[in-house]
């Protein structure tokens, strides 16, 4: 437990769980040190006149010697809001019961967490949630409850409860969302990651994703073509699948036959024929795509181009008059072209079939409730990022109740667009794309820098993108 300049109290999970939320809020106290014979608490300085009475009451509750140290009201209130939310708010789940798993899943869903991590260590079990791309510790549970929890997850996801040596993958289905379950054997036991998958893509809107006005026009021009390939690149968790689904929703018309092969199916779209990848029985991207060509499709969506076979099938499909949408793991829109060349795809085929290459990232946006403006020194920017702009002020993350004390609330996509114009196609054929004057438009680093200078995000959040400029 630590106090940072008497402005912020940090509690370990063990010390936090030593008292209940009701006791902490009733007496306006925060535990500082808990021992067998005595406990030390910080107490709101406005309670100084009542210290003796409160000390006696706490002595009866804990049956040990009590020491109370007055501290500022603002510090106590902030600590209470972080660690001991009142009963009318959703409490931290710190004890295991029959409803623990359901409560955990639905709480994660309600606060827009994307993943739930359950990890076992030598002495306890940790539960973390991924919110806006970052893992946040939610609570710990006792090891005694761990096996029952794991078995409950396995039963719900139709997995083998007796198998503890091999990884297992399953799925839990709810009315309006699914949970993809991955179980991995580790040194102390099995680790579980549950990915929350929203079923309904009806809320997605291509105009609300984060495209700049000029970029969205270029993108829609590319996807309106009746054939060719549209590729979206970026690392895992950068929002590629969401962009694909928003595109499919935009293209989904009564006169079009749309088929997809995905791993997993993260959303469902009425009117779209979606196929779940099953590599263990031979249903791969390549085999599914081969079958799709006999299904009279207009538009084909592949979850990912992973290898040269899939790339070749996608090119074949586009050459025979189909529009193909897919994702690929590269760092930039130009890098997508280089990746296909490295796979062994001839440059002239790339130039003839690719309509547009898009790179994207997700950037966390600062919480408007607590973000703070401070002075800025341009020397804090990465040395590889060059700008003529002199920045005097910038905003930093602070943390409050509204943003779960992360300092950030929500994410925003940024895009780098490379339309395959005649000039770009010629540069691809000659393998001179990276040196070509035909490449125009802002880079990902420029888009990220704009968010930073406009006070929408912090330097810490965009620094990795600026480094790669």
């Amino acid at each position: 437990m630590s106090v940072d300049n008497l402005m912020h109290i940090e509690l370990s999970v063990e010390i936090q769980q030593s008292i209940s939320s009701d006791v902490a809020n009733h007496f306006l106290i925060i535990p500082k040190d808990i021992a067998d014979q005595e406990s030390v608490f910080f107490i709101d300085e406005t309670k100084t006149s009542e210290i003796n009475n409160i000390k006696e009451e706490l002595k009866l509750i804990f049956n040990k010697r009590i020491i109370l140290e007055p501290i500022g009201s603002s510090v106590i209130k902030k600590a209470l809001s972080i660690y001991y939310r009142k009963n009318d708010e959703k409490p931290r789940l710190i004890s295991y019961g029959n409803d623990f798993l359901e409560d955990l899943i639905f709480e994660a869903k309600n606060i827009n967490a994307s993943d739930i991590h359950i990890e076992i260590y030598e002495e306890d079990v940790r539960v973390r949630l991924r919110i806006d791309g970052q893992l946040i510790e939610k609570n710990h549970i006792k090891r005694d409850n761990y096996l029952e929890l794991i078995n409950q997850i396995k039963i719900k996801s139709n997995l083998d409860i007796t198998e503890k040596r091999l990884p297992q993958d399953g799925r839990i289905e709810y009315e309006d969302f699914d949970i993809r379950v991955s179980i991995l054997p580790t040194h102390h036991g099995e680790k579980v990651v549950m990915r929350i998958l929203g079923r309904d893509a009806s809320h997605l809107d291509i105009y609300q994703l984060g495209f700049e006005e000029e970029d969205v026009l270029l993108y829609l021009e590319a996807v309106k073509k009746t054939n060719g390939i549209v590729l979206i690149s970026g690392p895992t968790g950068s929002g590629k699948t969401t962009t694909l689904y928003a595109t499919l929703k935009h293209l989904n018309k009564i006169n079009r036959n749309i088929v997809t092969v995905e791993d997993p199916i993260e959303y469902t779209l009425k009117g779209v024929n979606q196929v779940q990848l099953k590599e263990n029985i031979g249903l791969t991207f390549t085999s599914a795509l081969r079958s799709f060509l006999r299904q009279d499709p207009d538009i084909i969506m592949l979850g990912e181009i992973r290898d040269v076979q899939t790339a070749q099938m996608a090119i074949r499909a586009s050459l025979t008059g189909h529009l193909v949408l897919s994702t690929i793991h590269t760092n930039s829109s130009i890098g997508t072209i280089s990746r296909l060349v490295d796979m062994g795809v001839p440059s002239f085929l790339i130039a003839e079939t690719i309509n547009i290459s898009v790179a994207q990232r997700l950037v966390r946006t600062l919480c408007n409730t607590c973000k703070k403006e401070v002075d800025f020194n341009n020397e804090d920017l990465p040395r590889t990022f060059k700008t003529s702009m002199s920045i005097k002020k910038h905003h930093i993350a602070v943390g409050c109740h509204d943003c779960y004390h992360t300092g950030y609330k929500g994410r925003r996509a940024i895009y780098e667009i490379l339309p395959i114009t005649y000039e770009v196609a010629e540069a691809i054929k000659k393998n001179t794309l990276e040196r070509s004057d035909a490449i125009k438009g802002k880079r990902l680093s420029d888009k990220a820098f704009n968010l930073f200078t406009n006070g929408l995000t912090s330097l810490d959040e965009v620094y990795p993108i600026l480094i790669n400029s």
Side-chain angles (χ1 to χ4, degrees):
M1 202 283 305
S2 66
V3 184
D4 183 13
N5 295 327
L6 296 185
M7 292 300 292
H8 176 58
I9 298 175
E10 293 183 359
L11 298 184
S12 67
V13 173
E14 292 72 23
I15 289 183
Q16 177 198 345
Q17 295 181 6
S18 64
I19 68 171
S20 69
S21 176
D22 289 341
V23 170
N25 281 283
H26 177 73
F27 293 107
L28 299 183
I29 59 173
I30 299 294
K32 178 183 179 182
D33 186 40
I34 305 297
D36 292 337
Q37 301 300 319
E38 73 174 24
S39 291
V40 182
F41 297 93
F42 289 121
I43 186 169
D44 191 319
E45 61 186 6
T46 62
K47 294 280 189 177
T48 303
S49 61
E50 306 172 48
I51 276 186
N52 291 333
N53 292 334
I54 293 174
K55 190 180 295 186
E56 290 302 314
E57 291 185 49
L58 292 175
K59 184 177 180 180
L60 291 173
I61 293 173
F62 295 103
N63 193 29
K64 63 175 71 173
R65 182 169 175 259
I66 301 296
I67 298 174
L68 299 178
E69 297 183 6
I71 196 172
S73 295
S74 60
V75 181
I76 289 290
K77 287 177 181 177
K78 183 174 183 178
L80 289 173
S81 71
I82 297 173
Y83 301 108
Y84 300 105
R85 297 182 181 180
K86 294 181 180 179
N87 291 333
D88 58 349
E89 301 173 2
K90 190 70 177 179
R92 286 171 56 98
L93 300 169
I94 59 174
S95 60
Y96 180 84
N98 292 333
D99 297 327
F100 178 86
L101 180 60
E102 292 292 298
D103 288 345
L104 179 61
I105 288 173
F106 280 94
E107 182 178 11
K109 176 72 168 56
N110 290 337
I111 63 177
N112 295 319
S114 61
D115 300 86
I116 303 168
H117 290 239
I118 301 173
E119 304 157 314
I120 184 166
Y121 298 98
E122 187 173 358
E123 296 181 352
D124 66 354
V125 179
R126 179 173 68 174
V127 178
R128 294 190 291 172
L129 303 181
R130 188 175 293 279
I131 302 174
D132 292 336
Q134 298 293 315
L135 282 171
I136 297 171
E137 187 174 276
K138 185 61 180 172
N139 62 280
H140 287 210
I141 62 173
K142 296 180 180 178
R143 281 182 62 97
D144 295 344
N145 303 128
Y146 160 77
L147 185 58
E148 184 181 349
L149 176 60
I150 296 300
N151 287 341
Q152 192 177 355
I153 293 171
K154 286 182 176 179
I155 291 169
K156 282 182 173 290
S157 51
N158 297 313
L159 298 178
D160 184 357
I161 64 172
T162 64
E163 180 57 73
K164 304 180 187 301
R165 300 168 300 169
L166 297 173
Q168 295 191 73
D169 295 309
R171 199 176 186 98
I172 304 173
E173 296 184 355
Y174 290 93
E175 185 175 347
D176 60 345
F177 68 98
D178 291 348
I179 301 287
R180 186 181 66 185
V181 178
S182 173
I183 298 181
L184 180 71
T186 65
H187 179 61
H188 293 293
E190 294 174 290
K191 172 180 176 173
V192 178
V193 175
M194 295 186 284
R195 165 67 59 89
I196 301 173
L197 306 173
R199 283 189 174 179
D200 185 13
S202 62
H203 64 285
L204 297 177
D205 186 345
I206 196 74
Y207 295 100
Q208 302 298 322
L209 295 180
F211 281 108
E212 293 183 0
E213 185 176 352
E214 182 181 353
D215 290 343
V216 76
L217 293 176
L218 289 171
Y219 181 71
L220 290 179
E221 205 171 87
V223 301
K224 285 177 181 176
K225 295 181 180 180
T226 56
N227 65 297
I229 302 175
V230 173
L231 285 178
I232 302 174
S233 66
T236 301
S238 60
K240 301 186 297 295
T241 303
T242 299
T243 300
L244 279 183
Y245 276 110
T247 306
L248 288 179
K249 181 192 171 190
H250 182 80
L251 296 173
N252 190 14
K253 308 295 182 185
I254 192 69
N255 61 340
R256 289 176 179 153
N257 178 23
I258 302 176
V259 290
T260 77
V261 58
E262 308 165 58
D263 184 28
I265 296 173
E266 295 194 23
Y267 299 94
T268 56
L269 273 171
K270 185 178 180 180
V272 175
N273 306 284
Q274 297 173 261
V275 176
Q276 170 66 52
L277 191 73
K278 295 178 181 177
E279 292 186 330
N280 59 324
I281 61 171
L283 182 54
T284 63
F285 282 122
T286 305
S287 64
L289 187 49
R290 190 177 292 113
S291 298
F292 284 175
L293 295 178
R294 298 191 288 270
Q295 285 284 317
D296 186 30
D298 297 295
I299 298 170
I300 298 171
M301 192 269 268
L302 299 174
E304 182 183 347
I305 292 181
R306 296 177 177 175
D307 50 45
V308 64
Q309 290 80 16
T310 310
Q312 289 172 343
M313 287 297 295
I315 287 173
R316 176 186 167 191
S318 69
L319 288 172
T320 53
H322 305 91
L323 180 66
V324 180
L325 311 176
S326 191
T327 69
I328 191 168
H329 284 284
T330 61
N331 290 325
S332 66
S333 55
I334 299 175
T336 293
I337 309 301
S338 302
R339 174 77 176 120
L340 291 173
V341 171
D342 291 342
M343 284 182 176
V345 180
S347 296
F348 75 92
L349 279 181
I350 298 172
E352 292 295 328
T353 56
I354 305 295
N355 293 349
I356 195 168
S357 175
V358 179
Q360 74 174 84
R361 297 290 188 278
L362 285 178
V363 177
R364 289 188 298 167
T365 51
L366 287 165
C367 173
N368 286 324
T369 304
C370 63
K371 69 179 182 181
K372 182 181 179 182
E373 188 178 56
V374 297
D375 293 334
F376 183 74
N377 187 336
N378 267 42
E379 293 181 358
D380 292 334
L381 291 169
R383 286 177 293 176
T384 56
F385 182 78
K386 305 301 181 184
T387 179
S388 59
M389 184 182 297
S390 178
I391 305 168
K392 303 298 182 183
K393 299 282 186 179
H394 73 129
H395 289 82
I396 61 172
V398 178
C400 65
H401 176 74
D402 286 348
C403 60
Y404 304 98
H405 302 279
T406 63
Y408 298 90
K409 195 170 184 181
R411 291 187 290 180
R412 179 167 174 170
I414 55 173
Y415 294 89
E416 180 180 275
I417 304 290
L418 178 63
I420 309 303
T421 61
Y422 173 80
E423 292 79 12
V424 172
E426 289 300 305
I428 291 174
K429 292 176 184 177
K430 297 174 183 177
N431 293 320
T432 59
L433 182 60
E434 293 188 9
R435 303 188 301 275
S436 173
D437 293 333
I439 301 173
K440 298 177 182 178
K442 293 182 178 179
R443 302 166 298 172
L444 278 171
S445 55
D446 295 322
K447 306 290 183 67
F449 188 65
N450 285 344
L451 291 182
F452 166 65
T453 55
N454 290 329
L456 297 176
T457 191
S458 68
L459 180 62
D460 289 341
E461 186 66 12
V462 300
Y463 200 94
I465 302 175
L466 300 184
I467 289 176
N468 294 323
S469 62

